[in-house]
Amino acid sequence: MINEVLDQLTYLKLKSAYTYLKELHINDSITNNDLKGIHKILNREVIAKEENNKLYNVKVAGFPFLRKIEEYDFDFQPTVNEEKIKTIANSNFYEEAINVVFVGNPGVGKTHLAIAIGYEVAIKRNSVYFIKFNKLITILKNAYQEGTFDKRVRHFFKYKVLIIDEVGFSEISPLEAKLFFQLIDLRYTKKSTIFTSNMTFDKWPQILGNDEMMTKAVLDRILHHSYIFNIVGPSYRIKDKLKHSSNKSK
């Protein structure tokens, strides 16, 4: 029991209490019942701290909204393998630097799934960051022009999981494509990245400055170690309208 209580005090960073308790134990000035009482009280504080740590990683992830796996309607999108999504979300895929890629038309739930997986990683006290593709490119380009690109790209490298949302909603210049490649290359085989895109891979050259070689280099690094989901189905945004229309026709 004494070791368990000392471990609690270490976790809570209560150094003075740790030292004092050791002295009491050495001098036989504390009973086992006393230790059980202290352990019970400290355990509540340990649980609270762990919960706060989980919430902290979620708060700093920059999610535009929170979504969980169980909130996704897999019946509405049968092309998405529910078991595979849950397996990835509950795994340590990020320790193996495996990427996750969601491709599909707007509204099929790509961002929902990306955030849901990111959320599961974050509550395990891992660093996660969400950013729109356009915003990421703007930040990288500005840093390049200001001479701070290396510092900025290292900032994005540090995250255990980086979520890049909406790749393909706008085209970027050849220079911007090269800057994007440098980030992807830096994270390759070292960190996991989750991508969402409304463009199939054969159309990615249109996104990345119409540079076939650069696009091939980017995709090689993204897809080499990755889980790929091609979501084919209707938009969630018209789901309720479809249901309402079906009810009216009966």
Side-chain angles (χ1 to χ4, degrees):
M1 182 58 66
I2 181 64
N3 289 331
E4 290 183 23
V5 176
L6 289 173
D7 286 345
Q8 289 175 316
L9 293 172
T10 299
Y11 178 72
L12 296 171
K13 298 181 180 180
L14 299 174
K15 295 181 180 179
S16 296
Y18 181 97
T19 302
Y20 182 55
L21 181 63
K22 284 194 76 172
E23 291 175 359
L24 291 175
H25 180 65
I26 291 170
N27 297 324
D28 291 326
S29 299
I30 189 166
T31 67
N32 200 52
N33 283 336
D34 292 334
L35 289 172
K36 286 181 179 179
I38 295 171
H39 182 273
K40 186 175 182 180
I41 294 169
L42 291 179
N43 195 51
R44 294 297 296 271
E45 191 64 27
V46 168
I47 292 171
K49 183 175 181 178
E50 288 178 343
E51 191 60 33
N52 286 335
N53 286 338
K54 289 180 182 179
L55 293 176
Y56 173 79
N57 284 284
V58 172
K59 286 177 182 177
V60 299
F63 297 131
F65 46 80
L66 284 182
R67 291 292 184 270
K68 298 182 180 179
I69 300 293
E70 56 267 26
E71 296 171 341
Y72 190 83
D73 191 345
F74 290 94
D75 291 332
F76 188 70
Q77 299 292 11
T79 61
V80 182
N81 187 320
E82 180 176 0
E83 240 1 89
K84 189 173 182 181
I85 292 290
K86 289 181 176 178
T87 298
I88 293 170
N90 293 321
S91 73
N92 292 329
F93 72 95
Y94 46 88
E95 298 293 355
E96 301 175 45
I98 298 174
N99 297 325
V100 184
V101 186
F102 294 103
V103 178
N105 290 328
V108 296
K110 303 183 299 294
T111 302
H112 179 142
L113 292 171
I115 290 174
I117 292 174
Y119 173 84
E120 293 298 327
V121 177
I123 62 173
K124 294 174 186 172
R125 300 175 62 183
N126 295 294
S127 59
V128 177
Y129 192 70
F130 176 100
I131 190 167
K132 296 287 186 183
F133 177 70
N134 287 351
K135 183 177 180 180
L136 172 65
I137 296 302
T138 298
I139 290 172
L140 294 179
K141 184 178 180 180
N142 288 342
Y144 174 79
Q145 293 172 339
E146 294 166 4
T148 59
F149 178 76
D150 288 345
K151 180 180 179 181
R152 180 54 63 180
V153 83
R154 284 197 302 271
H155 168 78
F156 288 115
F157 170 76
K158 72 180 182 181
Y159 295 105
K160 184 79 75 171
V161 173
L162 179 65
I163 302 174
I164 303 177
D165 190 41
E166 295 184 347
V167 178
F169 267 77
S170 62
E171 299 172 4
I172 62 176
S173 69
L175 169 62
E176 291 167 336
K178 290 177 182 178
L179 299 178
F180 180 60
F181 166 77
Q182 289 187 56
L183 173 61
I184 299 305
D185 186 54
L186 188 62
R187 292 181 62 85
Y188 175 58
T189 72
K190 299 178 184 71
K191 301 290 179 69
S192 292
T193 308
I194 300 177
F195 301 86
T196 75
S197 179
N198 64 321
M199 302 282 277
T200 52
F201 300 128
D202 61 307
K203 295 179 181 177
W204 275 45
Q206 300 173 27
I207 304 169
L208 303 179
N210 288 306
D211 188 327
E212 293 280 351
M213 290 299 294
M214 180 61 64
T215 302
K216 184 178 185 301
V218 169
L219 286 175
D220 279 350
R221 285 158 177 77
I222 290 175
L223 304 180
H224 184 202
H225 299 292
S226 66
Y227 298 109
I228 303 170
F229 294 88
N230 185 21
I231 307 176
V232 180
S235 169
Y236 272 98
R237 299 185 183 98
I238 64 171
K239 178 181 177 182
D240 292 335
K241 289 186 178 180
L242 290 173
K243 183 178 179 181
H244 181 67
S245 175
S246 176
N247 289 337
K248 285 182 67 176
S249 64
K250 290 180 180 178

